[in-house]
């Protein structure tokens, strides 16, 4: 950077600077799932999940982190103007609770209280001590190897510090088309929280509706997994 300020941690990684904005907590809550209706958008309609939550926020570049005690996944994200709608599908019955945390950047000062604010060259706020910020503790990334209806991520479990609360940001839905029977099934990678951590599971999300073209195997798949693990304690 040619001007401004930087704050680095003990590892030399920049935490705050006057170039890039930090993602702050703009909204959090607990949504109650409702019956799935319509076909939605994405890889297919949802046939096997039992319910979903639909969360609409106004923002600039929002991210959603979520956690649920039932198997769940981010089904889609739809942008309309400055409104963003996130749909999280779950294999829990109607009434399942999904905790969500919306993080976003912001162009203006907090405008209240006192403390420290850092601005970029255009006057947009990159950091304010009035805000709570996204805390990233881990990233799960790698190939999604989907063979004969099961991926290499199925059953993987993760745990972190006791006494803390964690949630996941899902970059996209990793899925495969299992062609073991006449019509096949679309299988998606879901997460399930419990205890001090979470686990990942392959679950059927829809019947693909396309005939098989080989005795067994897979027709197509999204071959990359990316989850960001966040510490949402107190958020």
């Amino acid at each position: 950077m040619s001007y401004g300020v930087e704050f680095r941690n003990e590892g030399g990684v920049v935490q705050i600077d006057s170039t890039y904005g930090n993602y702050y907590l703009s909204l959090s809550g607990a949504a109650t799932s409702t019956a799935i209706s319509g076909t939605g958008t994405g890889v297919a309609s949802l046939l096997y999940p039992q319910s979903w939550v639909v969360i609409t926020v106004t923002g600039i570049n929002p991210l959603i982190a979520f956690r649920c005690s039932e198997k769940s996944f981010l089904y889609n994200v739809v942008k309309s103007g400055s409104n963003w709608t996130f749909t999280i599908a779950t294999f829990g019955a109607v009434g399942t609770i999904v905790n969500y945390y919306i993080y976003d950047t912001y162009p203006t000062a907090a405008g209240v209280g006192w403390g420290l604010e850092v601005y970029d060259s255009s006057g947009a706020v990159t950091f304010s001590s009035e805000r709570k910020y996204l805390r990233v503790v881990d990233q799960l990334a790698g190939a999604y190897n989907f063979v004969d209806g099961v991926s290499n991520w199925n059953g993987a479990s993760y745990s972190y510090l006791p006494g803390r609360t964690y949630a996941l940001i899902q970059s996209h839905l990793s899925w495969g088309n299992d062609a073991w029977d006449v019509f096949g099934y679309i299988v998606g990678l879901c997460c399930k929280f419990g205890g001090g951590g979470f686990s990942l599971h392959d679950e059927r999300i829809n019947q693909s509706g396309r005939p098989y073209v080989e005795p067994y195997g897979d027709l197509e798949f999204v071959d990359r997994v990316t989850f960001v693990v966040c510490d949402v304690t107190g958020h």
Side-chain angles (χ1 to χ4, degrees), residues 122-193:
S122 66
V125 177
T126 62
F127 174 83
S128 171
S129 58
E130 289 289 312
R131 309 289 189 177
K132 295 180 179 180
Y133 285 91
L134 175 64
R135 297 185 295 240
V136 175
V137 298
D138 199 3
Q139 180 182 17
L140 310 179
Y144 184 67
N145 298 322
F146 186 78
V147 178
D148 296 340
V150 180
S151 80
N152 55 314
W153 293 84
N154 186 49
S157 61
Y158 302 86
S159 59
Y160 299 92
L161 294 177
R164 308 294 293 181
T165 302
Y166 298 95
L168 285 179
I169 296 174
Q170 175 188 319
S171 67
H172 58 265
L173 174 61
S174 299
W175 62 277
N177 191 354
D178 176 18
W180 269 93
D181 66 3
V182 174
F183 291 104
Y185 295 91
I186 292 176
V187 177
L189 188 62
C190 308
C191 59
K192 179 179 181 179
F193 282 82

Side-chain angles (χ1 to χ4, degrees), residues 82-117:
S82 59
N83 293 325
W84 299 70
T85 299
F86 300 90
T87 302
I88 299 170
T90 173
F91 284 82
V94 169
T96 295
I97 300 299
V98 177
N99 296 98
Y100 64 92
Y101 310 83
I102 305 293
Y103 296 92
D104 203 354
T105 56
Y106 50 94
T108 59
V112 294
W114 58 271
L116 172 69
E117 286 189 341

Side-chain angles (χ1 to χ4, degrees), residues 7-67:
F7 294 85
R8 297 175 179 267
N9 65 13
E10 65 275 11
V13 177
V14 175
Q15 301 295 291
I16 303 168
D17 70 9
S18 51
T19 301
Y20 300 102
N22 289 264
Y23 271 81
Y24 79 101
L25 178 71
S26 65
L27 180 69
S28 63
T32 302
S33 69
T34 58
I36 292 173
S37 60
T39 57
T41 60
V43 296
S45 59
L46 295 176
L47 181 62
Y48 295 102
Q50 299 299 302
S51 60
W52 64 13
V53 298
V54 180
I55 301 160
T56 299
V57 299
T58 299
I60 302 172
N61 296 296
L63 300 173
I64 188 169
F66 65 96
R67 55 178 288 122

